[in-house]
Amino acid sequence: MKRAMLAMALASCAVVPAAGAAGADAPLAAQELRLAAGRSAVIDFPADVARISTSNPEVVDAVAVSLREVLLHAKNLGNATVVVWSRNGGRAFYQISVEPNLDPLRELLKRTFPGESIEVQATRDSLSLIGRVSSQAVAERAAALVAPHAKTVVNNLEVAPGGPDPQVLLRVRFAELNRTALEALGANLVSTGTLNTPGSVSTGQFPSPQASQLQGAIPARLEGTQTSFSISETLNVFAFRPDLNLAAFIRALESRGLLQILAEPNLVTTNGKEASFLVGGEFPIPVVQGGANVGAVTIQFREFGIRLTFLPQITPHKTIKMMVRPEVSTIDMANALVFSGFTIPALATRRMETNVELAPRQSFVIAGLIDDRVTETLAKVPGLADIPLLGALFRSRQQNRSKTELVVIVSPEITHPLEAGQPLPGPEMPKEFLPPVAKPSARAAPATVRRETAAAGKKGRR
């Protein structure tokens, strides 16, 4: 009964056969055993066991359960030596290594990465991952999964070489339409001596006479006296009556302007890599130094033009998620700044930055601007401008209207390089750039040579 109960208790334990029996002068050969922590093993000894000893009871506990069976319990990680003496004077040595139980960890790796070949091995304080995986991301995830189970994780996983990364082509279209309209109406009156009074009447919006000389004679008692005016601008209409000593400068101007800018920069980069380019130039800016070089002026350069920066990322849904930052800037001399004799130009800039997600060949308007401005300036001479009919000569009006429309459209797509031998694409010309030059025929060339030879012969005879 007692032997039956003992057999049932050891049914789940491993059975390790012992080496053959030896005499008292010939000890048993040492054997190496590997046990998982928390597991047990049974050694079938060939002779009756007299005594058992273990070098590290904290690692391995050895118990004789019968005359020829030794039960080993793996308690903690480490190494231990178990010596078994037989009653006939022989002895056997067992080098036992207790390792962590890796079966649950192997099962976890297999269920987490079903298509990968990952094997885990253990030493005393560390775990080592070996095998071959499809990507670096899988190797990093496997190491993170194993990390809580050991002090140190050695990642020896080999990453299989993959194909080339997909390339992303981004097309950006800048479309800007700028309309301007100007209307101006004004008049300047100049008297060189009418009613014996020289003078001028102006609203001050347009320059009064200053540049050249305008002279007139004053009649009556001041006969012979001359007056002189300088004319700076004759505006659009200029009339002068010397006999009346009266001149008129009238400005009636109407202008229309249209400016259209269309740019389509294209840029290609690898998936997950940022790319940028600039088409434009740089302009110098003087910078006053401080510190030991206080007062010294150095030159720095600022960029302007068409700039494009974007970072694409292809998602598992086969869409392209990207951060895009297009910019269009031009030099604006109308708002330039003069500093210490230097003219520093201003920049008219259109800049936008956003994140969008599109399928290949889809388009999205990422920015739009409609700017409509009307500026009207009215100037008049008090009192005189209120006279019916004639009051229009003492009023000036200027109206300036501008309308700007800007649209920025982005269109990404996944592209592939041309294979060897494929023709290279070139720019498409809607019309032939230059017509081909007509070549002289082969028959006409000898005739030309004969004529030149004949002419040379006549000159020689002369």
Side-chain angles (χ1 to χ4, degrees), residues 196 218-225:
N196 300 329
I218 300 177
R221 292 180 301 172
L222 300 178
E223 183 176 358
T225 304

Side-chain angles (χ1 to χ4, degrees), residues 257-304:
L258 176 63
L259 173 64
Q260 182 176 1
I261 299 176
L262 179 62
E264 187 176 351
N266 300 331
L267 189 58
V268 179
T269 185
T270 306
N271 179 32
K273 304 295 182 181
E274 183 179 286
S276 64
F277 83 103
L278 173 67
V279 179
E282 297 181 344
F283 63 94
I285 293 179
V287 178
V288 179
Q289 300 295 314
N293 299 324
V294 61
V297 178
T298 60
I299 300 298
Q300 294 183 359
F301 288 85
R302 295 289 186 270
E303 297 176 342
F304 71 95

Side-chain angles (χ1 to χ4, degrees), residues 151 307 341:
K151 294 181 179 180
R307 183 195 303 273

Side-chain angles (χ1 to χ4, degrees), residues 7-70:
M8 294 176 61
L10 300 177
S12 61
C13 299
V15 178
V16 181
D25 297 333
L28 296 176
Q31 296 187 46
E32 292 186 0
L33 299 179
R34 292 179 179 272
L35 298 178
R39 298 294 180 88
S40 299
V42 176
I43 300 177
D44 289 332
F45 206 66
D48 293 342
V49 177
R51 190 170 70 252
I52 302 173
S53 176
T54 175
S55 64
N56 193 347
E58 299 296 331
V59 175
V60 177
D61 186 15
V63 179
V65 296
S66 67
L67 293 178
R68 294 194 178 188
E69 291 179 335
V70 178

